[in-house]
Amino acid sequence: MSRSDLFTPLQLGPLALPNRIFMAPLTRCRASEGHVPNELNAEYYTQRASAGLIISEATSVSPSGYGYPSTPGIHTADQVAGWKKVTDAVHSKGGHIFLQLWHVGRISHPSYQQDGALPVAPSAIKPKGQVFTGASMEEYVTPRALETAEIPGIIAEYVHGAELAKQAGFDGVEIHNANGYLLDQFLRTGTNQRGDLYGGSVANRARLTLEVTEAVSGVWGADRVGIRFSPAGIFNDMHDDNPLETFGHVLRELNRFGLAYAHITQVTAQDIAHGAAEGVGPKELRSAWNGKIVSAGGFTLESGNAAIAEGWADAIAFGVPFIANPDLPERFRRKAPLNTADESTFYSPGGKGYTDYPMLNS
């Protein structure tokens, strides 16, 4: 049997994907007023439809779930209509696209909240750092700890977002349980100091992740649901006392659902330079997870092929390379030079640095 690589087709639940070169979720801050996706967003994603799977930018399931300017949502009819333009355009090019369901939790600011309310979190622990309010940089505030009775409402927001994603024509959804946002905050010891059924033991800290996953799978069918984790990540002032135990536990518990994939980031040299530790990533967690693994984190063509050949990843999600190279799979296939990404335009408005990167032979 021949060894698999990035160009080997992949069966992901009911989807027959042409390659294993996924587009990672990438916040670009270019939604229209009301957090509504627009024609420019549709053009951007359609340019990248040759990815085996596009995972959309993080998309808020709730009015309280925002923490960045001009990011999209999935809780209103206008947002559904906007996303439908995107999915129709991607499908017209033969592409596949999942929506990433998101709630930022404490990584927000009263300026993003209705009536200037405090952001919500598992515990009232202020994150280090600053948030851009759209006008200036401000210190994060101490969030409000969610009451136990409020948690079913949070789960309902994810369900509503999943239902609207189906109406918008997506092929599935990815639950954002990474990078220091709400579900990750519940999972890790550094942000969860609760004394109820959602805090304390690893089983309790994992409870909300499992309940959201079960509820979202009830909307889509588990084979169209992925979930993302960043077990070694420290972004947004995150840490865990025993990440191998924490993430190993939640992955073993998730096995019963039969999800499409677990998206597990690997630590990068940049992460390590900022204090992250090696030793807990897709390689180390492979034995805890029975399903397919998508990994992300500084991969190249060569290292992506190696990860798949070695069996600890089934697909690789590329971020910055897809920003600058809309035709990344073809460039990889030809071993062609890659465009260099312009970091100054990652989060700026308009088409510059968004839809104007050249394709091969253009």
Side-chain angles (χ1 to χ4, degrees), residues 298-319:
F299 283 94
T300 63
L301 168 63
E302 294 75 20
S303 62
N305 277 334
I308 291 170
E310 292 165 11
W312 53 270
D314 298 280
I316 303 297
F318 295 88

Side-chain angles (χ1 to χ4, degrees), residues 47-63:
Q47 289 175 341
R48 292 153 178 81
S50 63
L53 178 68
I54 294 171
I55 306 167
S56 84
E57 62 205 279
T59 302
S60 181
V61 298
S62 164

Side-chain angles (χ1 to χ4, degrees), residues 173-210:
V173 293
E174 178 178 285
I175 298 165
H176 197 347
N177 207 120
N179 295 8
Y181 299 117
L182 184 63
L183 297 182
D184 197 26
Q185 293 161 25
F186 269 85
L187 187 58
R188 298 214 234 177
T189 58
T191 40
N192 186 338
Q193 296 180 0
R194 300 176 70 88
D196 63 359
L197 289 175
Y198 292 91
S201 69
V202 65
N204 282 355
R205 287 182 281 111
R207 190 181 305 276
L208 183 57
T209 294
L210 298 175

Side-chain angles (χ1 to χ4, degrees), residues 18-38:
N19 61 62
R20 299 169 185 235
I21 304 166
F22 288 13
M23 180 177 168
L26 294 159
T27 293
R28 303 303 307 275
C29 297
R30 284 171 168 87
S32 296
E33 185 177 353
H35 302 278
V36 175
N38 53 51

Side-chain angles (χ1 to χ4, degrees), residues 220-268:
W220 273 96
D223 60 357
R224 287 182 182 265
V225 176
I227 187 166
R228 191 178 210 227
F229 296 107
S230 54
I234 59 171
F235 182 61
N236 284 325
D237 193 24
M238 296 299 291
H239 73 273
D240 188 83
D241 292 338
N242 191 337
L244 202 57
E245 177 190 35
T246 294
F247 289 91
H249 171 85
V250 73
L251 285 167
R252 283 188 291 271
E253 290 297 312
L254 286 167
N255 277 323
R256 67 178 183 263
F257 295 113
L259 299 178
Y261 62 84
H263 186 173
I264 305 171
T265 64
Q266 70 167 3
V267 67
T268 66

